[in-house]
Structures are given as C-alpha cells and as structure tokens.
Amino acid sequence: RQGAKPLSLNGCDINFKNIKFAYYDAKERNIFNGLTFNVPAGKTVAVVGGSGSGKSTILRLLYRFFECDSGTIEIDGQDIAKATVKDLRNSIGVIPQDCVLFNDTIFNNIHYGNFDATEEEVYQAAKDARIHEAIEKFPDKYETRVGERGLKLSGGEKQRIAIARAILKDAPILICDEATSALDGATERQIIDTLRSVSLDRTTIVIAHRLSTVQHADLIVVLNDGKVAEMGAPSDLLQNSDGLYFEMWNRQQQQDKEALSIGVVEEEAGRGELEG
C-alpha cells in the first residue's frame, strides 16, 4: 500500500481481531465471521477444526495472499495491512503440507530458504532438521538431484528439507500447515519431535487435522462456523466432555482404532494366503 512501513518486531505477538473474510468466488459464503484470537509471543498455538473451517485460510491471510474484508491482523500491535509485503513475509517461515522441491540438488533446495546463507549454515540447518545423516548416505550426498517435485525422496525426507529451509530462513514466526498429514505414524512422530525443537522460543502457529499431533501446543484454537468455538490448553479442552474438541478427539481415536483393526485383519489375511 501507499505509505507502507517495515515491521518493528519485538517478540512477535500476533492478534487476529474480528476478522471477516470470504474468497472472491464465494462471497455468499463467509469463511470467517468475526474471528478473534491471540498467539502470544514465543508460544505455540494449534488451530484445529473440521474440513472447510478455514484453518489454512489463516496462513493465507497472515501471509497476505488475500486481504481481510474487515478486521485486522496485528504483529506486535502493528496492522500487517500497513506493512511492506516483503518485510512481512521475511518475518514468517512456512513448513507446508506439500513441500515443493525443484528438480535440482538437495543443497540448492535447502539453500532456497536463504540465499545469503553460507555453505556451513546450510549443513547446520540440515543437521537441525535431522536429515544430514540421511543425505550423507546418498552417493552424491548434497549434490543429489531430487527429481521433479522431489519424487526421488520419501515423504519424510521432503518434509525434513522443508524444515531445513525454514530453519535456514530463521524467521521469528513459524507456521506449520498440516506438515505431517501425508506421513506414516512412525515418521509423523519423528517429524513432530523435530518441529517441537525448531519452534522453541518462536511464535508458532500449527494448523492441524490430526489432534494427536498438537498435544504439545501451549494453546489450541478450535474453529467452527467462522469463529473460535473453543480455546484452551489441550488437557483443559479434553476435560470438557460437552465440547467440540472432546468430540473431535473421541471421533479420531475411534477412527484410528478401526484403521488399526482393519490393518491387522488384512495382514492376517495376507499371511494366510502366503501359507496357503
């Protein structure tokens, strides 16, 4: 905007104040109808809700891919709509659900997070993301070409490169947009441990579908009907048996049990065919 100013950051406290928003092609259906919540500086806040509740829209508004129809988003008391876009986006690191990799070397894909970083800083970011040892086992190590969209790497390896990029960017605000949703259970737990260490002392927003992945959050925001339906620490929300979070938690636990039992049946059936 005309007269836009750089952000003056001091801890990165984020406030969503009475946000109203609808996408251009669906003005008759508001995504948010007065969304209000706070992300305290240096804390991790998880945003959960059903499909279509607007979880990923929060990232798009904070990054200013879209502007709010009304209301304000403030970082340390400064309206982001009045800040320079470059300054705003430099202050935010994103670990997406689907990490886009270029058909280039692993080194260059990590270096993309910060072109001013030194070679040693790239290696350190990989170590912090816990992928350095895996890269060292590849024949060409950091010069390994990943293929189109990273098809030569596993899902967990791609996510760790995304984490290494975010570490290299070293932004004071971190957003994880369903960063583990496409991974198997064991890899998911490993990535969550890495994300917890990366988010330490950063203002972090975790957008999640699976509630089991955000039990470490300081605060959970539950979205419903374009507003905050519930908000609180994970343990507190689970004590409210009439709450939406409690209902979502039980539903997912039941789905996990059913998926596990189906997997056991299929495994036993496959073993029977082999024995036959």
Side-chain angles (χ1 to χ4, degrees), residues 112-182:
Y112 182 69
N114 179 5
F115 287 128
D116 294 328
T118 65
E119 195 171 316
E120 273 307 312
E121 286 172 333
V122 171
Y123 298 148
Q124 187 58 52
K127 289 174 183 175
D128 292 343
R130 303 180 192 176
I131 193 174
H132 175 76
E133 290 183 6
I135 295 171
E136 286 292 303
K137 292 177 182 177
F138 294 149
D140 295 323
K141 300 183 180 181
Y142 280 84
E143 293 306 306
T144 301
R145 298 189 73 85
V146 303
E148 194 66 38
R149 296 183 65 84
L151 61 85
K152 295 181 181 179
L153 301 178
S154 70
E157 288 166 343
K158 286 196 289 186
Q159 283 305 92
R160 289 191 185 280
I161 287 178
I163 294 170
R165 275 183 183 173
I167 291 171
L168 197 64
K169 186 174 183 180
D170 196 26
I173 298 170
L174 181 65
I175 301 179
C176 305
D177 186 8
E178 303 208 45
T180 65
S181 62

Side-chain angles (χ1 to χ4, degrees), residues 4-253:
K5 298 179 180 179
L7 285 170
S8 177
L9 301 179
N10 181 26
C12 294
D13 179 271
I14 305 173
N15 262 314
F16 290 79
K17 293 185 174 181
N18 199 27
I19 302 298
K20 294 184 179 180
F21 175 75
Y23 288 105
Y24 302 136
D25 56 352
K27 282 296 182 183
E28 71 282 356
R29 187 178 76 86
N30 281 345
I31 303 297
F32 295 134
N33 291 297
L35 178 71
T36 299
F37 69 96
N38 171 251
V39 184
K43 299 295 183 181
T44 295
V45 172
V47 179
V48 304
S51 179
S53 61
K55 299 187 296 293
S56 292
T57 301
I58 285 174
L59 163 60
R60 295 170 190 147
L61 293 178
L62 185 58
Y63 220 65
R64 282 186 66 193
F65 286 143
F66 296 90
E67 301 287 359
C68 304
D69 294 329
S70 65
T72 59
I73 301 173
E74 297 179 355
I75 299 178
D76 288 336
Q78 301 156 91
D79 185 352
I80 66 170
K82 298 177 181 178
T84 59
V85 172
K86 181 179 179 181
D87 207 52
L88 171 68
R89 293 178 181 172
N90 280 343
S91 68
I92 302 172
V94 180
I95 301 173
Q97 179 179 3
D98 181 22
C99 176
V100 178
L101 300 184
F102 306 106
N103 187 8
D104 205 323
T105 65
I106 290 175
F107 182 92
N108 286 339
N109 269 286
I110 297 175
H111 203 198
Y112 182 69
N114 179 5
F115 287 128
D116 294 328
T118 65
E119 195 171 316
E120 273 307 312
E121 286 172 333
V122 171
Y123 298 148
Q124 187 58 52
K127 289 174 183 175
D128 292 343
R130 303 180 192 176
I131 193 174
H132 175 76
E133 290 183 6
I135 295 171
E136 286 292 303
K137 292 177 182 177
F138 294 149
D140 295 323
K141 300 183 180 181
Y142 280 84
E143 293 306 306
T144 301
R145 298 189 73 85
V146 303
E148 194 66 38
R149 296 183 65 84
L151 61 85
K152 295 181 181 179
L153 301 178
S154 70
E157 288 166 343
K158 286 196 289 186
Q159 283 305 92
R160 289 191 185 280
I161 287 178
I163 294 170
R165 275 183 183 173
I167 291 171
L168 197 64
K169 186 174 183 180
D170 196 26
I173 298 170
L174 181 65
I175 301 179
C176 305
D177 186 8
E178 303 208 45
T180 65
S181 62
L183 305 175
D184 62 84
T187 306
E188 180 182 66
R189 286 188 291 273
Q190 293 169 0
I191 296 292
I192 289 169
D193 287 342
T194 305
L195 290 175
R196 289 179 68 175
S197 63
V198 171
S199 62
L200 197 64
D201 297 327
R202 296 179 198 266
T203 302
T204 304
I205 299 176
V206 181
I207 297 164
H209 171 70
R210 287 181 52 76
L211 304 185
S212 58
T213 65
V214 293
Q215 293 308 294
H216 65 285
D218 298 298
L219 191 70
I220 290 182
V221 173
V222 185
L223 300 183
N224 191 45
D225 291 332
K227 294 182 179 180
V228 175
E230 292 176 292
M231 184 163 49
S235 57
D236 294 339
L237 291 177
L238 283 175
Q239 290 178 9
N240 180 14
S241 59
D242 296 324
L244 182 59
Y245 185 83
F246 184 86
E247 179 188 334
M248 292 169 60
W249 175 269
N250 283 337
R251 190 188 313 130
Q252 288 192 7
Q253 292 296 303

